Amino acid sequence: MAASEEEVKLLGSVGSPFVIRVQIALELKGIEYKYSEEKLGNLSETLLKYNPVYRMVPVFVHNGNPISESRVILEYIDETWKQNPILPSDPYQRALARFWSKFIDDKCVAAAWMSVFMPDKKEREKASEELLKALQFLENELKDKFFGGQEIGFVDIAALFIPLFQEVAELQLFTREKFPKLYKWSKEFNNHPIVKEIMPSKDQQFAYFKARAESLAAASK
């Protein structure tokens, strides 16, 4: 099937960092796609059909084949469209990129979320301490302009959650004093033309996080 005839769709919600990951990868590679907005708490039948396991955005659909989970989608996009690679060509460096992207989701994303939305103050403080420890590992790992070198790569896209969350929750995570390299990285990342074009407004991001918190609270009852 010719590239112009390919069906590429993205089901997402405005403000979702995981959806933004996919959008950045698609734009970096110059891939045209159709975007379908999903409302948290009232997901479409299409999304539930495509992602019955997690019932979450994003869902990426390529020629009728659905793929869920943002990191999995990023790898699929990189393997399918070879231009402007976001993963290194060297197997060892690719493995490291996968390791650090998973580390970000496991140690940074969850801790950042809990440091703001956990109802118990002690739990929030504990999550904040864990987050700072995780950020120090990333600070030590950052050796260049971006984690991917001179260009945005897989780990940079995975890490967008942290400066985005800092902006929305008004947390002082990336201060120049605590994490000088991460602070500079966050500025470079947010000023990238594609990132600036895709990143939703602060109000849109806040609305997403609020809706997500409400959806999780309702699901736990």
Side-chain angles (χ1 to χ4, degrees):
M1 182 178 289
S4 60
E5 298 174 349
E6 287 187 316
E7 178 192 40
V8 182
K9 297 180 180 178
L10 176 62
L11 284 67
S13 297
V14 171
S16 165
F18 304 105
V19 174
I20 297 169
R21 283 176 173 177
V22 180
Q23 290 176 307
I24 289 176
L26 290 169
E27 292 294 336
L28 284 171
K29 288 179 172 287
I31 302 167
E32 294 185 4
Y33 64 98
K34 180 180 178 181
Y35 178 79
S36 179
E37 178 69 14
E38 292 286 336
K39 184 178 180 181
L40 296 181
N42 188 25
L43 300 173
S44 70
E45 290 298 320
T46 301
L47 184 137
L48 297 177
K49 179 184 73 172
Y50 282 147
N51 189 9
V53 177
Y54 291 111
R55 304 165 72 92
M56 295 169 61
V57 296
V59 173
F60 182 75
V61 185
H62 183 211
N63 295 333
N65 297 316
I67 305 164
S68 57
E69 294 296 290
S70 63
R71 295 200 326 270
V72 176
I73 295 170
L74 293 181
E75 291 204 45
Y76 178 85
I77 290 172
D78 202 46
E79 292 171 359
T80 304
W81 291 275
K82 303 300 184 182
Q83 69 273 22
N84 303 327
I86 58 175
L87 274 164
S89 58
D90 178 75
Y92 178 67
Q93 294 301 322
R94 288 172 72 90
L96 286 180
R98 292 186 178 107
F99 172 86
W100 286 111
S101 65
K102 187 176 188 302
F103 173 86
I104 288 164
D105 278 0
D106 291 346
K107 300 296 185 180
C108 298
V109 173
W113 182 271
M114 290 189 293
S115 68
V116 174
F117 291 108
M118 287 293 287
D120 184 78
K121 183 179 178 181
K122 289 185 178 179
E123 291 294 327
R124 291 198 304 271
E125 291 175 347
K126 180 181 177 182
S128 295
E129 291 176 6
E130 292 176 356
L131 176 59
L132 292 176
K133 290 178 182 177
L135 291 177
Q136 187 61 58
F137 280 108
L138 292 179
E139 173 80 6
N140 297 339
E141 180 62 20
L142 185 56
K143 306 292 195 304
D144 211 324
K145 181 179 180 180
F146 297 110
F147 287 97
Q150 285 297 305
E151 302 294 337
I152 287 177
F154 192 79
V155 178
D156 300 287
I157 297 172
L160 70 83
F161 189 106
I162 307 166
L164 186 153
F165 202 88
Q166 173 173 270
E167 173 74 12
V168 174
E170 298 181 348
L171 299 174
Q172 294 301 310
L173 302 177
F174 283 130
T175 61
R176 184 182 281 109
E177 294 73 26
K178 286 183 180 178
F179 304 107
K181 291 193 289 185
L182 284 175
Y183 179 85
K184 184 178 180 181
W185 165 83
S186 68
K187 298 298 182 185
E188 296 279 6
F189 183 83
N190 286 332
N191 285 326
H192 189 283
I194 286 177
V195 175
K196 288 177 71 174
E197 180 183 346
I198 291 173
M199 201 66 73
S201 69
K202 184 175 180 178
D203 288 344
Q204 288 174 317
Q205 294 169 23
F206 183 81
Y208 167 81
F209 282 114
K210 182 180 178 182
R212 181 70 178 138
E214 290 173 351
S215 176
L216 290 173
S220 65
K221 291 181 180 179

